[in-house]
Amino acid sequence: LRDRLAPLERERAPFATAPRTNEPATWVEPEVVVEVRFNEWTTDGRLRHPVFLGVRDDKPAAAVRREPSARVSTPPRSSAAVRPPAARTTTRGVPAGGATVDAPADLVERLHEIERTRGGSGTLAIGRTRLPLTNLNKVFFPEAGFTKGDLLRYYVRVADAILPAIADRPLVLRRHPNGITGKAFYQQAAPDALPAGVRAVAVALPPGETGDTGDREAKRRFIGGGLATLLYTIQLGAISVDPWHGRLRTPQYADYSIIDLDPGDGATFAQVVAIALRAREVLTALGLTSMVKTSGASGLHVTVPLRARTPATSARLLAEIVATTIAREMPRDATVVRAVARRPRGTVYVDYLQNIPGKTVASVYAARGVPAASVSTPLRWEEVTPALDPRAFTIATLPARLGKLGDLWAEGLQTRNDLRAVIGGWS
């Protein structure tokens, strides 16, 4: 824990009023989430008799909230362990004092109000952030009839799932300012002028690596984890957000390895399914657990959760082992040839290069710029059959699925894989 906290050291306390400590304090950036058992909240908002239980790697600091109903509580009447409400934080993980954030239902209704106004423009209040919104009545998905307002409301409804998935990760935007029928482009850098509460930080690729932009210069990039930041990117015309596989302060490490299955001309989704299932078998034979999600377009993403501080080079090597194994075993269906013109027609590209720092795929729960407004959706492996239709998961259907099945992505990330034994035999 000391090694983990040392890089986060700061001179001053991150609190508006620094609490007194019995011993000299070393303050750190509030980015490591811990679970604490305590007796009660005091009247001045402190914890009485707190006991450290452990680190919570499944929850980013930006997702921590203090429930309003627990602002002052009485001591528990039984001796049973009480799960504490966590102190509320801003998107940077700094305590936000008395600021309040509207419930999702309130934000959804406010977005409806803005869309119904002339021009579909107005201001959305998210805590202390005032987010100017325009053209919410613009149709982004003509075939499905969904507007920019529909897309914003979707992201509000799934915020509890997508925000932890992209927290503290630099984001690449896929912007469609005039909807999916207009010109689209990628945006790496964030503008200098941003509304308060929208997070952007200058960050560079690790030395020796080359990402999507082909350079390693530091760029001011959007950083995921806050609802205001996410909705601001949609206001800019983004439909999907693509996070780095590493985090802001540790881009040289990867939290998971991605195998991106991308069907080429003449390939069928049944081939994608067959390759995904074979990838799972190869990974299982290596002693590794895996997850799967739709890309939101025509492919699937097979994902291997990794233990903390796994180098991105190891994540890429693992994906390469699996991809080349499958391409050798299934040459009629799979290829690792990068150049599109050289790929055999009717094959699925098994892409392992997306694990290079700076490369990205669409975030889980991100909408995609396709006619059905489909969403990159985590699946149970038993759902991966020839009958699977990725177009069934859209911004209209996904919130209900999430409510029924829960966050399968967060559930899968709880089992982390150690690659040392696997990579050691291949490196």
Side-chain angles (χ1 to χ4, degrees), residues 373-388:
S374 52
V375 171
S376 181
T377 304
L379 305 169
R380 290 173 173 163
W381 273 110
E382 54 264 33
E383 295 181 279
V384 183
T385 71
L388 176 65

Side-chain angles (χ1 to χ4, degrees), residues 134-166:
T134 59
N135 302 317
L136 266 61
N137 50 14
K138 179 181 289 186
V139 177
F140 266 26
F141 303 88
E143 184 175 304
F146 295 129
T147 64
K148 182 180 181 180
D150 289 322
L151 187 62
L152 285 162
R153 286 187 287 274
Y154 163 75
Y155 278 115
V156 169
R157 291 185 176 107
V158 301
D160 284 348
I162 191 173
L163 293 181
I166 63 176

Side-chain angles (χ1 to χ4, degrees), residues 16-343:
T17 302
R20 294 181 180 180
T21 57
N22 293 330
E23 299 291 338
T26 299
W27 300 106
V28 298
E29 295 291 340
E31 296 182 7
V32 178
V33 178
V34 300
E35 186 163 358
V36 176
R37 183 179 69 245
F38 63 101
N39 285 345
E40 66 172 338
W41 287 100
T42 64
T43 55
D44 57 351
R46 306 293 177 88
L47 303 185
R48 190 183 304 281
H49 302 149
V51 178
F52 171 77
L53 299 179
V55 175
R56 290 285 300 275
D57 285 321
D58 62 317
K59 181 183 287 291
V64 175
R65 298 289 186 271
R66 177 177 173 178
E67 298 176 4
S69 60
R71 292 208 177 271
V72 178
S73 63
T74 56
R77 295 183 180 276
S78 70
S79 59
V82 177
R83 185 179 184 122
R88 184 180 213 283
T89 62
T90 67
T91 56
R92 294 178 182 270
V94 178
T100 60
V101 176
D102 294 329
D106 296 334
L107 293 178
V108 168
E109 180 54 35
R110 175 58 183 153
L111 288 168
H112 275 298
E113 292 175 359
I114 294 173
E115 185 169 354
R116 288 192 292 261
T117 62
R118 178 175 298 181
S121 301
T123 300
L124 184 70
I126 306 173
R128 294 174 178 171
T129 299
R130 298 296 182 266
L131 200 62
L133 301 174
T134 59
N135 302 317
L136 266 61
N137 50 14
K138 179 181 289 186
V139 177
F140 266 26
F141 303 88
E143 184 175 304
F146 295 129
T147 64
K148 182 180 181 180
D150 289 322
L151 187 62
L152 285 162
R153 286 187 287 274
Y154 163 75
Y155 278 115
V156 169
R157 291 185 176 107
V158 301
D160 284 348
I162 191 173
L163 293 181
I166 63 176
D168 294 322
R169 303 184 194 278
L171 304 177
V172 177
L173 310 184
R174 177 67 168 167
R175 289 181 59 184
H176 300 74
N178 294 305
I180 65 171
T181 58
K183 183 179 179 180
F185 58 93
Y186 285 100
Q187 178 173 333
Q188 294 270 348
D192 293 331
L194 294 173
V198 175
R199 189 182 184 194
V201 176
V203 57
L205 292 169
E209 299 287 358
T210 301
D212 289 336
T213 58
D215 63 59
R216 294 188 294 274
E217 294 182 2
K219 285 183 171 61
R220 181 173 156 87
R221 304 175 189 270
F222 289 109
I223 306 299
L227 182 58
T229 302
L230 176 60
L231 297 188
Y232 181 76
T233 67
I234 309 306
Q235 160 60 24
L236 292 179
I239 289 179
S240 69
V241 290
D242 302 1
W244 286 14
H245 308 317
R247 297 182 184 271
L248 171 64
R249 297 183 183 278
T250 54
Q252 71 274 31
Y253 299 121
D255 291 320
Y256 40 80
S257 176
I258 288 273
I259 303 167
D260 181 7
L261 305 182
D262 183 13
D265 290 342
T268 66
F269 190 69
Q271 289 173 271
V272 176
V273 167
I275 293 170
L277 294 174
R278 181 56 188 146
R280 185 194 188 194
E281 292 174 351
V282 173
L283 290 165
T284 300
L286 293 172
L288 304 173
T289 61
S290 58
M291 306 153 55
V292 63
K293 70 183 181 77
T294 66
S295 69
S298 57
L300 291 173
H301 295 155
V302 178
T303 308
V304 182
L306 303 175
R307 63 174 292 175
R309 303 181 76 81
T310 298
T313 51
S314 296
R316 181 197 57 75
L317 181 55
L318 172 66
E320 184 177 0
I321 291 169
V322 177
T324 54
T325 298
I326 292 173
R328 184 177 63 250
E329 293 179 349
M330 307 172 67
R332 294 184 178 181
D333 295 308
T335 181
V336 290
V337 176
R338 187 176 187 182
V340 176
R342 294 176 51 203
R343 294 175 195 166

